[in-house]
């Protein structure tokens, strides 16, 4: 890890510094944080109820309804019968949260993508889909994985429930200015190696606190070669390295993704926006507080073995040995693994394909390429959960749902599902789940559940074999599932 500092920290500027500067209402001082203007506030049913209660208690109105976007995702069931209302929502606390969000949005004038909306989905999936996520914006949400939107060159980060109330009331936020970190990824990812493997490798390299206090800018040839959905996967997990946010400079790939979407500018406004967005790139000679170099060519498919995303190894490697490390030993005891044990070949019982990390169309295509014409292993349960109604429609239009169902998987309604155990989709105690989500904490997918984070390709191959398997063995001969 190289470190460079410049006490002047003036011009030229990094991408982060430009966006920060454009949104400073009041600069920070030694005694006070900056006041930052927020362009887009994303809300959902879990972290917003107390914030709306705060507005009521202080007799305050919501400052900018046009800059507030609401959806249902975290505690929302993915069972089609529950979503359609054919049966009651089984988790009572979830039903109450969903009802309260409807009440709050109606009372304060927020446009809600509710259960019946064809634009509903995981908050970090629908923001980009709608074109509400744009380069240069400040975006916040009461959710850790708001960093996803940094893939567009936005400064996006998660906030607490009290801060959700502040933004609802003022459209501003008190913030201390973070440091900057550049992660330069040279080369190209090899066949069967995905954006998920890349970000897991990065977290494995710098650790779960390696980005603490920083905003990361991902740069280099391997980053520039990624699609927008792949860039979202990378930025999504910035928080798992401890970073405040992750950003990627907007380019032609970004503009092509956004053009024509509902909230994207049109006509002359589009041309002006693109010119403005191009200027956001980090200036030549701009300095970062830290720089990390990663060689993409050296990365293999990755898989976690412990209880945080930094406990990760290449899929063919063994569980590391750390004599005397009590935390490591405790984590392995929870996971039922031994130091020196190979991960590959480990039997699994559940596969979860979905989440704001890997629940987009390209992720489903990647898994379907593996599963097409095959059956998942006996005794393995596989849930496929699209990230949004739009992803679901597009997947069904090209027959991906049939591929999953014929392979023996469950095709569900959009939502956060097994990413977190609060909506009824759970992994049983002691079971191993290969999951495309972003966190493998103890109990994250249910009490006693053992989570192994991996890419959609690795998850799909594990579903077929019933064991942890190198996806490159299958992808080499697999035909594309759909175009």
């Amino acid at each position: 890890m190289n470190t460079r500092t410049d006490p002047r920290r003036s011009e030229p500027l990094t991408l982060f510094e430009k966006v920060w500067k454009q949104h400073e209402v009041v600069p920070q001082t030694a005694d006070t944080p900056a006041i930052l203007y927020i362009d887009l506030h994303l809300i959902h049913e879990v972290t917003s109820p107390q914030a709306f209660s705060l507005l009521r208690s202080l007799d305050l109105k919501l400052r900018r309804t046009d800059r507030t976007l609401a959806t249902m995702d975290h505690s929302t069931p993915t069972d089609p019968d529950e979503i359609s209302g054919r049966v009651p929502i089984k988790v009572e606390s979830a039903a109450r949260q969903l009802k309260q969000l409807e009440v709050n949005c109606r009372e304060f004038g927020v446009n809600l993508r509710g259960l019946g909306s064809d634009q509903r989905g995981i908050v970090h999936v629908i923001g980009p889909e709608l074109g509400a996520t744009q380069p240069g914006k400040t975006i916040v949400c009461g959710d850790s994985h708001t960093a996803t939107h940094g893939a567009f060159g936005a400064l996006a980060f998660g906030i607490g429930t009290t801060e959700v109330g502040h933004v609802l009331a003022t459209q501003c936020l008190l913030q201390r200015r973070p440091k900057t970190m550049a992660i330069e990824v040279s080369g190209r990812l090899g066949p069967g190696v995905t954006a998920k493997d890349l970000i897991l490798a990065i977290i494995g390299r710098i650790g779960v606190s390696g980005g603490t206090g920083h905003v990361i800018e991902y740069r280099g040839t391997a980053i520039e070669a990624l699609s927008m959905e792949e860039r979202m996967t990378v930025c999504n997990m910035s928080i798992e390295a401890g970073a405040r946010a992750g950003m990627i400079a907007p380019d032609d790939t970004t503009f092509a993704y956004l053009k024509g979407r509902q909230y994207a500018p049109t006509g002359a406004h589009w041309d002006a926006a693109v010119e403005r967005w191009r200027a956001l790139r980090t200036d030549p000679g701009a300095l970062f507080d830290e720089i990390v170099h990663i060689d993409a060519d050296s990365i293999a498919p990755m898989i976690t073995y412990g209880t945080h995303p930094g406990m990760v190894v290449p899929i063919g490697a063994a569980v590391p040995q750390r004599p005397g490390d009590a935390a490591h030993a405790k984590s392995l005891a929870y996971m039922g693994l031994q130091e020196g044990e190979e991960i590959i070949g480990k039997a699994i019982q559940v596969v979860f394909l979905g989440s704001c990390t890997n629940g987009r169309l390209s992720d489903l295509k990647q898994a379907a390429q593996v599963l097409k014409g095959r059956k998942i292993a006996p005794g393995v349960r596989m849930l496929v959960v699209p990230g949004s109604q739009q992803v679901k429609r597009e997947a069904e239009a090209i027959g991906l749902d049939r591929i999953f169902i014929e392979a023996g998987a469950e095709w569900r309604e959009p939502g956060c599902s097994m990413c977190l155990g609060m909506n009824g989709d759970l992994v049983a105690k002691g079971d191993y789940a290969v999951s495309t989500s972003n966190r493998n904490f103890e109990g994250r997918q249910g009490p006693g559940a053992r989570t192994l984070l991996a890419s959609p390709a690795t998850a799909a191959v594990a579903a077929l074999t019933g064991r942890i398997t190198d996806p490159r063995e299958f992808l080499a001969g697999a035909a594309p599932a759909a175009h």
Side-chain angles (χ1 to χ4, degrees), residues 45 56 69 74 110 137 145 214 217 234 239 248 259 264 286 292 301 317 407 431 452 454 473 479 482:
E45 70 273 26
R56 282 192 196 91
L69 177 60
H74 279 64
V110 176
K137 280 189 173 183
H145 298 99
H214 293 78
E217 181 179 339
V234 170
I239 185 67
I248 295 174
K259 191 168 188 178
V292 177
D431 278 0
L452 304 155
E473 300 172 14

Side-chain angles (χ1 to χ4, degrees), residues 127-414:
E129 277 180 354
L130 295 171
T133 300
Q134 295 173 13
K137 280 189 173 183
T138 47
I139 301 174
V140 297
C141 176
D143 183 86
S144 303
H145 298 99
T146 307
T148 307
H149 308 265
F152 293 78
L155 175 58
F157 52 89
I159 57 177
T161 295
T162 302
E163 292 174 310
V164 171
H166 293 173
V167 179
L168 289 176
T170 67
Q171 206 59 35
C172 289
L173 198 60
L174 298 173
Q175 285 289 292
R176 284 286 178 189
R177 178 169 161 154
K179 295 180 180 179
T180 56
M181 173 185 288
I183 295 187
E184 303 267 4
V185 188
S186 59
R188 296 288 292 262
L189 297 173
V193 183
T194 70
K196 182 62 166 290
D197 301 307
L198 170 59
I199 188 60
L200 285 173
I202 289 172
I203 297 169
R205 166 79 177 277
I206 70 174
V208 291
S209 60
T212 300
H214 293 78
V215 168
I216 296 173
E217 181 179 339
Y218 302 97
R219 301 154 51 90
T221 53
I223 298 298
E224 292 166 2
L226 298 177
S227 69
M228 284 313 300
E229 295 194 351
E230 291 171 321
R231 294 179 189 186
M232 284 186 252
T233 296
V234 170
C235 287
N236 173 275
M237 292 189 69
S238 300
I239 185 67
E240 309 307 336
R244 191 72 177 113
M247 303 177 78
I248 295 174
D251 59 10
D252 288 340
T253 300
T254 318
F255 310 145
Y257 177 96
L258 283 174
K259 191 168 188 178
R261 295 186 184 268
Q262 181 176 340
Y263 292 116
T266 58
H269 294 295
W270 169 262
D271 295 336
V274 170
E275 183 177 353
R276 188 172 66 251
W277 294 341
R278 285 192 192 282
L280 290 171
R281 295 184 70 85
T282 292
D283 295 325
L287 299 179
F288 293 88
D289 293 293
E290 292 196 45
I291 300 177
V292 177
H293 294 278
I294 302 282
D295 176 14
D297 296 286
S298 67
I299 296 174
M302 305 292 287
I303 192 159
T304 62
Y305 61 87
T307 52
H308 65 64
M311 301 178 77
V312 62
V313 291
I315 198 163
V319 175
Q321 300 188 42
R322 294 178 183 167
D325 186 335
H328 191 250
K330 178 177 180 291
S331 178
L332 293 187
Y334 179 84
M335 292 298 294
L337 297 171
Q338 304 291 322
E339 291 188 345
E341 178 181 354
E342 288 192 349
I343 302 293
I344 206 159
K346 185 76 180 177
I348 57 99
Q349 291 76 43
V350 178
V351 169
F352 169 55
L353 174 59
S355 82
C356 60
T357 312
N358 283 125
R360 298 179 177 81
L361 187 63
S362 59
D363 301 311
L364 303 190
K365 283 182 176 179
Q366 198 179 105
Q369 183 181 357
V370 173
L371 292 171
K372 187 176 183 179
R374 297 183 170 114
K375 296 287 186 184
I376 64 176
V380 173
R381 181 190 185 199
M382 181 177 186
L383 255 69
V384 183
V385 185
S388 70
Q389 289 291 350
Q390 180 174 321
V391 172
K392 184 171 183 281
R393 284 194 303 275
E394 291 176 348
E396 291 174 346
I398 57 177
L400 299 189
D401 58 325
R402 298 310 312 168
I403 292 174
F404 292 125
I405 292 169
E406 289 169 6
E410 299 175 39
W411 179 246
R412 307 298 287 260
E413 290 292 318

